[in-house]
Amino acid sequence: MSDITRREFIHFMSRSTAAAATLPWILECAHKAVRPVGPTLPFTPIKASTEDALVLADGFNFEVILRWRQPLNKKGELFGFNNDYIAFLPLSPLDPNEGLMWVNHEYHDPYYVSGWRPGTPRTTEQFNKERKEVGGSIVHMRKYEGRWQIVADSQFNRRLDAYTPIPLISERPILGHRVALGTMGNCAGGVTPWGTVLTCEENYENFVGEAIYKDGKRTLVDGDDYLSWTKGVKLPPEHYGWVVEVNLKSGKAKKLCALGRFAHECATCSVAPDGRVVVYSGDDAQDEHLYKFISRRKGSLEEGELYVADIKRGRWLPLNRREDERLKKAFTDHTDMMIRAREAAKIVGATPLDRPEDIEIDPLSGHIFVALTNNKKGGNYFGSILKIMEKNNNPLSLHFDSATFMAGGPETGFACPDNMVFDKKGNLWLATDISGSAMKEDPYKPFGNNGLFYVPLDGARAGVAVQVASAPNGAEFTGPCFAPDGKTLFLSVQHPGERAHFRENMRSSWPGGGTSEPAPCVVAVSGAAMESLLN
Ligand code: FEO
Ligand code: CA
Ligand code: CA
C-alpha cells in the first residue's frame, strides 16, 4: 500500500473521536514504525499441550479478572456463562485505566448451569436459570494497583439476558411484534465509530428452533435438545439471528434488522471516506456466506444496503428487492428478505464458504481478514484465513480481490482459526476453535488443546504462526481484546470442560483445580514478552 493510501485509510478509520478512543492503536500506527519483529522473538513459543491449564510461553502471565457467577450489582445480577466477545471502551479518552467492558455470554451448559440432564424434562426453574446465563454483561472495570478489577456496584454494571425486552428495528413488526424477548447465542461482535457495541446472535436455533419457509408455508423445527427451550417457551425464531447494538452507558439495546438474519459471528466496522459505516459479518455455518452492510447515514446502522460476497468474481452482490426481480418474486417485502437473508444470498449467487467466523481489518493495509474455521463436509478440516482487498481500499467499493492469507494444518501448527485481533503494531493474534468433540482425536491430535497464536505480518517471520498459549481441556480462547495500554490482552476462556453431562465425565477443573467444577472466565494476559513485542 502506498503511503498516501495508508494515510487516507488511517484517516477514515479515525474520523470520529469515538473511533479514536476505541481503536487507539490505529491512530498510533500513523506515527510509529510498525510491525518490526526482530530476528529473534522475545519468547520461546510453546508446543501443543493437552494439559488442563492455561499454559503460557515464558515471559507472559495471566490473571483471572472476571469469573462466572461473579456478582455485578445490588440487584443480584451475576456475570453469565461461556463468556465470548469482549469490547473495552474507556470512560474518558484521557484515562486508559478505567472503562466499560462488554462481554458476550454465548450459551449455557445445562450440566453446570441448571443441573438438567439429557433424557429428563426441564423444570420451570431450570429454564429460568438457563435463560439468565446468556446474553451479555456490562462491567465497569478499573486498573487499581496494577490489577484490572470490577468496580463493585457501579451504576453501569448490568446484564442483558434471554428475558431483556429489545426493540426490533425493522420496516414492519416481525410476527406482530416490535420488541423481541431477550438475546442469546451472542458470539463475537464489533464496536461502532460512535462507541456502541455490536453483539451478534449466532446459533439462535439451538435455543429457540428455526422457522422454515417453503411453498408459502412456515414450519417450526426444534432446537438442539441439550440447549433448547422450545419445550418450555415459544419464542419466534425470527426474533433472533440479528446484530444487536448496545449502548454501554445506558444499557439500551436494539436489534438491527437491516443487517440481515443469519448465524452472525461478528460485526466488524469500517468508516467510508464519506462517513458512512460499513459492517462486515460472516455467517458461521458450512457453505454459508460473507456479508457487508453499507449504512445509509453516518452515525446509524438502522438503514442501509446489504451485500453478499461472490468470491470467485470479486463482487459484492446487492440484496436489493426493489431492483432484482428474482428477490421481488421470492420475498413478500424487505423485512421478509432480511429474515431469510440466507435464501436471498443463494438466489443472487453468493459463494459458499468454509464457516466464516471472526473478521478483523488490518489497521495498516486496510485488508479484511476473514477466519474460515473449517468445512468438514467439504473435506477442509483445518481452515484458513481469507484476505479481502477492496478496490481502491474503499470499503464502499463493490469490487474486490481476495487471496488465502494462511492455511491451518500440521505444517503451520494451528487448526480451525476463529477469533482474531490486531495489536497496536499491526501484527495478528489468532485463537483456534477445534470443537470439543473432535479435540485430541484424529486429525486434530497433533494440535492438542485450542491455542492462542501470534502472527507477525512483516519481516522474516511474516505469516508464520507461533503459539503463545494453550487453553484448559475442552476450552477455547475467545474475544481477544487489547486494553487501552495496547500491552494487556483481555481474553475469554470459554467452555472449559464443556458437555460433561455427568461428574465422572468432567474433563476440566480450571481455574480452581482439584475437584472443583470448571468456570468460564475473562483473563488479562501481560508480561515482559508482551512489553517487548509491543513497546
Ligand atoms: Fe460462536 Fe462461530 O463461534
Ligand atoms: Ca467464534
Ligand atoms: Ca467458534
Side-chain angles (χ1 to χ4, degrees):
M1 174 189 260
S2 73
D3 280 340
I4 288 172
T5 318
R6 177 178 301 175
R7 270 202 305 277
E8 284 170 355
F9 177 76
I10 289 166
H11 180 64
F12 73 65
M13 286 295 283
S14 58
R15 287 174 79 89
S16 85
T17 49
T22 56
L23 304 169
W25 45 91
I26 286 173
L27 282 179
E28 215 171 315
C29 287
H31 309 295
K32 277 192 176 178
V34 288
R35 287 186 179 153
V37 180
T40 54
L41 286 168
F43 65 96
T44 305
I46 61 166
K47 291 195 166 37
S49 164
T50 54
E51 206 183 323
D52 182 31
L54 199 173
V55 180
L56 282 165
D58 284 346
F60 294 91
N61 53 61
F62 78 91
E63 236 182 321
V64 171
I65 60 169
L66 287 168
R67 181 188 172 112
W68 175 45
R69 286 198 170 145
Q70 183 155 346
L72 295 181
N73 54 32
K74 286 187 177 143
K75 279 198 294 182
E77 291 180 314
L78 308 174
F79 191 70
F81 200 70
N82 270 349
N83 39 281
D84 197 307
Y85 177 72
I86 301 169
F88 186 90
L89 304 179
L91 276 166
S92 153
L94 302 175
D95 185 358
N97 294 322
E98 184 169 6
L100 300 182
M101 184 179 271
W102 168 267
V103 186
N104 279 355
H105 298 296
E106 189 177 16
Y107 61 99
H108 56 286
D109 186 326
Y111 174 75
Y112 302 111
V113 163
S114 67
W116 177 78
R117 298 287 177 269
T120 64
R122 271 179 171 84
T123 64
T124 304
E125 194 191 352
Q126 284 170 331
F127 280 119
N128 290 346
K129 276 187 176 166
E130 293 176 8
R131 290 176 65 191
K132 286 274 178 199
E133 293 282 0
V134 301
S137 289
I138 299 168
V139 194
H140 185 175
M141 299 292 287
R142 187 183 290 146
K143 195 174 181 185
Y144 182 68
E145 295 183 344
R147 299 179 63 193
W148 282 99
Q149 299 174 33
I150 182 170
V151 178
D153 298 331
S154 161
Q155 55 162 333
F156 296 115
N157 293 347
R158 70 174 87 215
R159 283 293 315 280
L160 277 75
D161 59 30
Y163 288 101
T164 310
I166 303 179
L168 292 155
I169 309 299
S170 62
E171 287 185 357
R172 61 157 167 85
I174 296 180
L175 281 98
H177 295 270
R178 287 253 177 225
V179 177
L181 192 59
T183 183
M184 73 271 306
N186 307 73
C187 187
V191 176
T192 66
W194 47 94
T196 54
V197 165
L198 303 175
T199 173
C200 294
E201 298 179 335
E202 189 194 25
N203 296 314
Y204 59 91
E205 78 282 3
N206 286 340
F207 311 81
V208 298
E210 183 57 296
I212 309 290
Y213 290 82
K214 200 163 181 219
D215 303 328
K217 283 199 190 118
R218 172 180 179 262
T219 316
L220 290 175
V221 293
D222 264 351
D224 170 314
D225 192 42
Y226 198 64
L227 300 178
S228 174
W229 302 321
T230 48
K231 290 192 173 67
V233 58
K234 298 296 176 205
L235 298 167
E238 293 90 336
H239 286 189
Y240 310 94
W242 304 109
V243 174
V244 184
E245 182 176 358
V246 186
N247 180 321
L248 300 195
K249 286 190 177 160
S250 67
K252 284 204 171 126
K254 53 187 175 184
K255 300 203 181 195
L256 302 167
C257 300
L259 276 71
R261 175 176 166 272
F262 46 87
H264 280 279
E265 171 80 18
C266 71
T268 303
C269 295
S270 179
V271 183
D274 65 3
R276 283 183 289 161
V277 174
V278 172
V279 185
Y280 297 92
S281 190
D283 183 350
D284 180 8
Q286 290 181 149
D287 296 330
E288 289 300 335
H289 312 293
L290 174 67
Y291 296 77
K292 136 166 150 177
F293 172 81
I294 302 178
S295 73
R296 184 153 300 155
R297 282 180 275 281
K298 297 178 187 179
S300 168
L301 298 175
E302 293 192 3
E303 292 176 297
E305 294 289 333
L306 187 62
Y307 299 82
V308 66
D310 174 342
I311 303 287
K312 287 193 189 104
R313 293 194 304 148
R315 302 260 172 89
W316 290 107
L317 309 171
L319 300 183
N320 186 331
R321 203 180 149 273
R322 294 182 305 279
E323 289 170 15
D324 189 323
E325 287 302 322
R326 298 167 299 175
L327 298 173
K328 200 178 276 179
K329 197 169 150 214
F331 304 103
T332 54
D333 60 13
H334 180 72
T335 303
D336 186 35
M337 184 173 69
M338 289 298 99
I339 289 170
R340 298 158 62 195
R342 280 179 168 173
E343 290 173 59
K346 283 164 192 64
I347 289 170
V348 300
T351 305
L353 292 171
D354 297 341
R355 293 188 52 202
E357 294 219 60
D358 200 10
I359 299 170
E360 291 296 324
I361 302 175
D362 178 347
L364 293 179
S365 69
H367 297 158
I368 296 124
F369 285 59
V370 183
L372 301 177
T373 288
N374 61 46
N375 190 340
K376 293 177 189 170
K377 202 165 70 179
N380 175 356
Y381 287 87
F382 303 125
S384 62
I385 297 174
L386 174 72
K387 192 163 74 169
I388 301 275
M389 296 154 277
E390 299 276 28
K391 191 172 180 193
N392 300 326
N393 234 356
N394 184 345
L396 298 179
S397 177
L398 298 184
H399 292 81
F400 61 84
D401 289 322
S402 66
T404 296
F405 168 64
M406 60 195 300
E411 305 77 21
T412 45
F414 71 93
C416 309
D418 186 345
N419 292 278
M420 301 181 288
V421 66
F422 280 95
D423 65 30
K424 67 176 188 172
K425 288 204 166 176
N427 295 311
L428 186 67
W429 297 69
L430 165 70
T432 58
D433 179 16
I434 301 167
S435 82
S437 56
M439 210 183 288
K440 300 180 190 173
E441 305 285 339
D442 281 331
Y444 296 111
K445 239 183 200 160
F447 305 97
N449 289 351
N450 279 312
L452 174 72
F453 295 80
Y454 171 71
V455 188
L457 263 72
D458 213 350
R461 294 175 175 276
V464 178
V466 291
Q467 189 163 359
V468 174
S470 175
N473 284 346
E476 169 193 3
F477 293 125
T478 52
C481 166
F482 279 97
D485 70 0
K487 292 180 283 191
T488 302
L489 183 67
F490 299 131
L491 192 61
S492 280
V493 180
Q494 199 198 43
H495 57 74
E498 77 171 342
R499 294 204 179 208
H501 294 194
F502 302 100
R503 189 160 184 92
E504 50 272 27
N505 288 353
M506 220 174 62
R507 295 171 298 141
S508 177
S509 57
W510 188 88
T515 56
S516 62
E517 288 196 340
C521 295
V522 176
V523 299
V525 178
S526 57
M530 195 80 108
E531 292 276 336
S532 177
L533 278 177
L534 294 170
N535 254 336

